[in-house]
Amino acid sequence: MFTRMLKLRLLNSVAPAYFFMATAVTFVLHFCFFLPTLFPSPSASLRGSTTLHALVFLFLMFNALGNYAMTIRYPAESTGDTAVPVCSPHCSDKVDAHYLLNGRHFCKLCKKVILKRDHHCFFTGNCIGSKNMRYFIMFCIYTSCTCLYSLVLGVAFLTVEYSLSFENPLTFMTLLPLSIGYFFMGTISGLQLFVVLMLYVWLGIGLVSAGFCCQQVLLVARGQTWCQMQRGQLVENCSPWKSNLGDVFGTRWLLGLILPVQTVEMYSGDSDAAKQD
């Protein structure tokens, strides 16, 4: 158990560092390599295209980082609990949190009581629950869009700069192993290999974020959490899916789609803690 918790705490520190490093690298590649290479001419039309691509990228990245910050700013902890309550008789110690009574969990990593805990997000370093679920979902959406957008520009960069053709679907599948081999043979540059590696990083993060987002939206619509699903607990919430989504995304949900702002009323207390999980 000690070794497992040590690994989880290490991951809790490494994952945010990895996220910020990948973000910084993506910024540099976009503005120092992709855009100057794809739109080198000073003509008015290409300047407009450069500006458009830069604005789209900045919009996606702003929302991804903004919702990331909001996820951390509004933690899911239950402020009404000053001590850890007694565990439920159904509590399992096989995961990283104790299931408590009245819809609460005690996270061993955060060392806090979490209200309606869904899971612990290592990339943000805190738990996802009733107060920050909306920001986490929007973070996943915009992270996925940013990665897939970067993937498209990266493929275009390799096509223009190194005359690679991606007409054959197998090209992308064999690109990484061939690039590693050519790099050690001295045929390609380190920059080309690095861009190829980043293509696979963007693809992986983009697909994982998109899948995670779809899963979370489905759980929210059902009025269920990931912790409940892990325990095999049936949903007792009979509210319609529109009402469940409204509880998370708020009445100003449309504004929340384009800006990382607060769209739901924050709890003055943890009155919902009395609701059963």
Side-chain angles (χ1 to χ4, degrees):
M1 179 59 68
F2 174 78
T3 304
R4 172 180 170 80
M5 289 303 300
L6 183 63
K7 291 179 180 179
L8 291 177
R9 293 187 186 282
L10 179 62
L11 180 60
N12 206 44
S13 302
V14 172
Y18 169 78
F19 171 76
F20 284 114
M21 182 179 66
T23 300
V25 168
T26 303
F27 261 104
V28 172
L29 288 177
H30 267 269
F31 290 103
C32 296
F33 295 98
F34 292 174
L35 294 183
T37 300
L38 297 175
F39 309 102
S41 175
S43 64
S45 61
L46 289 182
R47 279 201 304 269
S49 298
T50 304
T51 303
L52 177 61
H53 281 282
L55 289 177
V56 170
F57 173 74
L58 289 175
F59 170 77
L60 295 175
M61 188 63 77
F62 170 75
N63 276 277
L65 293 177
N67 283 286
Y68 179 90
M70 296 290 274
T71 302
I72 299 174
R73 181 182 177 184
Y74 295 106
E77 63 184 274
S78 177
T79 56
D81 286 299
T82 57
V84 180
V86 178
C87 285
S88 164
H90 306 291
C91 175
S92 172
D93 198 31
K94 297 180 180 179
V95 293
D96 60 349
H98 284 290
Y99 169 54
L100 308 175
L101 297 173
N102 301 327
R104 294 166 296 177
H105 292 76
F106 176 74
C107 179
K108 302 175 187 176
L109 294 174
C110 297
K111 295 183 177 179
K112 296 176 182 177
V113 177
I114 308 299
L115 178 64
K116 294 185 68 175
R117 181 182 187 270
D118 187 88
H119 69 283
H120 183 92
C121 175
F122 291 98
F123 283 100
T124 60
N126 65 355
C127 281
I128 307 301
S130 61
K131 299 179 183 178
N132 56 5
M133 176 60 75
R134 185 201 90 69
Y135 307 115
F136 176 74
I137 291 176
M138 297 309 301
F139 164 66
C140 289
I141 290 176
Y142 278 103
T143 298
S144 177
C145 291
T146 303
C147 288
L148 297 180
Y149 186 73
S150 301
L151 176 64
V152 173
L153 288 188
V155 168
F157 170 79
L158 292 176
T159 302
V160 173
E161 183 71 9
Y162 299 103
S163 301
L164 291 178
S165 175
F166 290 86
E167 294 181 359
N168 189 339
L170 295 177
T171 300
F172 191 84
M173 298 176 62
T174 59
L175 184 61
L176 181 59
L178 289 178
S179 296
I180 294 176
Y182 288 148
F183 173 75
F184 285 106
M185 292 171 58
T187 306
I188 64 174
S189 64
L191 174 61
Q192 183 176 350
L193 176 62
F194 184 73
V195 173
V196 170
L197 290 173
M198 288 305 299
L199 292 184
Y200 287 88
V201 170
W202 289 325
L203 178 63
I205 296 178
L207 292 179
V208 169
S209 297
F212 219 122
C213 173
C214 294
Q215 172 188 275
Q216 293 303 124
V217 171
L218 179 60
L219 289 174
V220 169
R222 294 171 57 186
Q224 192 178 28
T225 65
W226 175 254
C227 285
Q228 287 177 326
M229 191 171 70
Q230 278 188 316
R231 296 198 308 269
Q233 186 174 354
L234 297 178
V235 180
E236 297 179 0
N237 186 352
C238 299
S239 300
W241 63 270
K242 288 185 178 180
S243 176
N244 292 331
L245 291 176
D247 290 340
V248 172
F249 289 93
T251 56
R252 299 182 297 164
W253 62 271
L254 188 58
L255 178 62
L257 291 179
I258 57 177
L259 290 174
V261 296
Q262 182 179 324
T263 58
V264 293
E265 293 295 329
M266 289 291 102
Y267 296 93
S268 57
D270 291 328
S271 57
D272 282 351
K275 294 182 179 179
Q276 292 293 331
D277 218 357

